[in-house]
Amino acid sequence: MNTHKCPNIEEFKKILKSKNLKATPQRLAVHEAMMALGHASADMITEEIISKGTTKVTVASVYNILTNLAMLGIYDYRMSSNNKMYFDVNTFHHIHLYDKENHMFKDIIDDELIALIEAHLGRKRFKGYKIEGIDIQLIGKPTRKKYFV
Ligand SMILES: [Zn+2]
């Protein structure tokens, strides 16, 4: 199995089953939207689902589904600098590029870079702490200007 892909809808159904969760239309719609958006807040996911018009959801129900799935480790989550909780459909180890103008995350898949950083940090000691993980995030802004008409 490719560990650099998020679960497709069939794999997602199996994951739900393994966690004793029903594959409700709302949960499936959330995952469809997560696959489309990659990283998104509950508001963004709700908007995406409503724009499709096939499943009835509210921001509150979407938020509950997302946090529940994040607590189970099915999704990852991170805060944006404008203080929104973004959920991440990819739970494998990866690097983020944060667009600070549009508040969007992009994934950077670079196992070699992660291995280099981990090897380097693995030799270091941080007094009083046991390091549990490394979270790499680059911060940038778009080089191309957007024109609004
Ligand atoms: Zn990500």
Side-chain angles (χ1 to χ4, degrees):
M1 202 174 117
N2 191 340
T3 54
H4 286 75
K5 276 204 166 72
C6 69
N8 64 31
I9 205 76
E10 288 311 313
E11 289 161 345
F12 180 71
K13 284 182 191 169
K14 281 183 198 150
I15 294 168
L16 289 178
K17 203 174 174 189
S18 75
K19 307 279 183 191
N20 288 316
L21 293 173
K22 285 208 171 75
T24 61
Q26 285 74 21
R27 285 193 181 114
L28 297 179
V30 163
H31 192 63
E32 293 273 6
M34 281 297 287
M35 286 193 292
L37 300 175
H39 310 82
S41 65
D43 290 341
M44 292 158 75
I45 293 291
T46 308
E47 219 171 278
E48 172 78 11
I49 295 170
I50 289 171
S51 79
K52 289 251 169 6
T54 45
T55 317
K56 279 216 181 335
V57 288
T58 62
V59 176
S61 67
V62 166
Y63 186 77
N64 285 340
I65 290 171
L66 287 166
T67 47
N68 184 223
L69 294 176
M71 289 308 124
L72 292 166
I74 298 168
Y75 293 149
D76 236 323
Y77 55 94
R78 53 182 48 240
M79 289 297 282
S80 63
S81 67
N82 61 342
N83 279 319
K84 280 199 173 185
M85 176 73 85
Y86 276 64
F87 296 86
D88 190 342
V89 74
N90 290 326
T91 53
F92 55 83
H93 203 171
H94 61 278
I95 299 169
H96 284 104
L97 171 60
Y98 181 64
D99 173 339
K100 66 175 190 180
E101 280 186 3
N102 299 301
H103 301 291
M104 279 168 39
F105 293 98
K106 281 181 189 295
D107 284 344
I108 298 173
I109 313 294
D110 190 336
D111 289 343
E112 210 179 322
L113 180 57
I114 292 174
L116 267 170
I117 293 168
E118 282 180 347
H120 181 80
L121 288 174
R123 290 191 295 268
K124 292 193 182 288
R125 292 289 167 262
F126 300 89
K127 203 165 186 273
Y129 287 94
K130 181 184 181 296
I131 302 305
E132 294 194 326
I134 300 168
D135 183 15
I136 307 162
Q137 179 167 297
L138 312 178
I139 298 147
K141 57 181 183 182
T143 48
R144 265 183 293 174
K145 284 210 163 36
K146 271 190 184 170
Y147 293 96
F148 294 99
V149 201

